[in-house]
Amino acid sequence: TPAGLLAELTGRALDEHEVHHTTRQRILAKIDASEPRPGILRLLNELRDAQIPLAVVSSSKHAWVDGYLSKLNLTDFFQFT
């Protein structure tokens, strides 16, 4: 596991649950503070105006992708996720 490897590399005992929880909280805080990259809204609007269908393909869990798109108000641009 990543926490196990970190413990091995640092020589310190780590609580894997705590490492996972702390890492997840940091990731969620970054997501919460994020905004679409510059120019993406213009591009998505142009593609929608041109009636070009869009999809999101990801190895992440469907719920995570949908939540992230929803948080960024991008869900309506994509026909498939």
Side-chain angles (χ1 to χ4, degrees), residues 5-69:
L5 178 58
L6 183 59
E8 182 181 323
L9 292 172
T10 62
R12 297 175 52 194
L14 297 173
D15 178 343
E16 290 194 34
H17 176 73
E18 182 62 28
V19 169
H20 175 74
H21 177 74
T22 301
T23 302
R24 181 158 175 76
Q25 292 304 106
R26 287 180 181 171
I27 290 169
L28 291 174
K30 284 184 179 183
I31 289 171
D32 203 38
S34 66
E35 295 180 6
R37 299 281 189 208
I40 197 67
L41 290 175
R42 181 181 53 80
L43 175 62
L44 289 172
N45 279 307
E46 288 175 6
L47 293 169
R48 180 171 50 196
D49 292 346
Q51 299 181 341
I52 297 173
L54 300 174
V56 174
V57 179
S58 175
S59 61
S60 295
K61 293 185 182 205
H62 205 282
W64 188 92
V65 172
D66 288 345
Y68 193 62
L69 290 174

